[in-house]
Amino acid sequence: MTSVKYALCSIAVLAISPLLSHGFHVSIPPLSLASRISSTDLSASLKHDISVDNSIKPLTEPKSPTLLESSVALAAAFIISSASAAWAVSGGGLDYAGIDITGQDFSNGNYKGKDFTQARSSKFVIAKGTTFAKSNLQGCRFYKAYLVNTNFEGADVRGASFEDTSMDNANLRNINAVGSYFGQSLLDVQSMEGGDFTDAQIPVKTLKLICQRDDVKGTNTVTGVDTRESLMCL
């Protein structure tokens, strides 16, 4: 019987726990007296002794951040944003779209599928004088990029997009441009010697003029394809 009374006391404590969390004061007889208290007496005692504890203070309004706390928060935000930008450039998100990489060395690297397009709101150059020699640029996007004096010699640009770019004096020697997309700016490049342009998408009028160039000759050292044949120049 004693064990049953102890169980009743435990159940009672669990039942009034929500009251305690809301500021109510509950008086419960010590467990040592449980053997002398009936279930009816326990219920009556609980009902009689439950009272509101007015000493509990209401929650205060949250404090405004101090100058030091605000400074720390701003510093943390700056660090996070800087890390995000670095991650984006390394290939985690935004790639190189709209970024000025003028004169930088991207040679002998793997940039497969990266985005090098020029942002519409950007007025600065993208890759003037930049070198991508012997790099993997498969599937990259250079849409509207500024590629004046850019070096693509020996690069793998299969499936890459070069529409609406500025390619004045760009070096396309020995380039592997199978299945790539070009615009009229292809006429302005410095050299196409040894390039493989098999299945490349080139405007018909532009292609006719391309075939008249003296530098459209040679054989690609990687694919072994003749440049003129890859362009279907007669």
Side-chain angles (χ1 to χ4, degrees):
M1 187 68 180
T2 302
S3 60
V4 172
K5 292 180 179 180
Y6 267 89
L8 289 172
C9 289
S10 300
I11 295 172
V13 171
L14 292 174
I16 65 174
S17 294
L19 296 175
L20 294 175
S21 65
H22 286 80
F24 291 93
H25 176 71
V26 180
S27 298
I28 301 176
L31 292 178
S32 61
L33 300 177
S35 60
R36 291 174 289 172
I37 300 177
S38 65
S39 59
T40 303
D41 295 335
L42 177 60
S43 176
S45 176
L46 290 174
K47 182 177 181 181
H48 180 269
D49 289 336
I50 293 177
S51 60
V52 177
D53 188 351
N54 295 321
S55 63
I56 303 298
K57 295 181 179 180
L59 294 175
T60 58
E61 292 291 333
K63 295 182 179 180
S64 299
T66 63
L67 179 60
L68 177 60
E69 292 171 338
S70 299
S71 300
V72 172
L74 288 173
F78 175 77
I79 292 173
I80 292 173
S81 62
S82 298
S84 299
W87 173 251
V89 170
S90 66
L94 300 176
D95 295 341
Y96 303 89
I99 299 177
D100 187 349
I101 54 174
T102 296
Q104 296 189 33
D105 187 357
F106 285 82
S107 60
N108 298 292
N110 183 7
Y111 307 99
K112 184 177 180 179
K114 299 300 181 183
D115 189 355
F116 292 90
T117 59
Q118 179 159 347
R120 292 182 179 179
S121 60
S122 175
K123 295 182 180 180
F124 52 75
V125 298
I126 290 295
K128 183 178 180 180
T130 301
T131 177
F132 293 98
K134 299 181 179 180
S135 286
N136 182 356
L137 302 172
Q138 294 181 50
C140 287
R141 297 183 69 245
F142 291 91
Y143 182 68
K144 289 186 177 296
Y146 193 82
L147 304 175
V148 174
N149 297 325
T150 303
N151 184 9
F152 288 100
E153 184 169 355
D156 184 350
V157 299
R158 285 176 290 175
S161 172
F162 293 93
E163 297 105 320
D164 291 338
T165 58
S166 298
M167 302 185 73
D168 298 26
N169 207 41
N171 180 7
L172 304 188
R173 288 188 181 91
N174 206 44
I175 195 173
N176 185 353
V178 174
S180 295
Y181 301 83
F182 294 94
Q184 296 180 357
S185 61
L186 187 60
L187 291 169
D188 303 319
V189 302
Q190 178 192 96
S191 177
M192 298 174 61
E193 184 175 353
D196 184 351
F197 297 90
T198 302
D199 296 327
Q201 301 300 308
I202 303 173
V204 176
K205 293 182 178 180
T206 300
L207 181 57
K208 290 180 178 180
L209 296 175
I210 289 293
C211 289
Q212 298 175 15
R213 293 176 58 120
D214 294 335
D215 59 295
V216 177
K217 60 182 180 180
T219 302
N220 189 276
T221 59
V222 175
T223 65
V225 174
D226 182 85
T227 299
R228 292 191 65 83
E229 289 183 1
S230 70
L231 290 166
M232 300 183 70
C233 295
L234 300 177

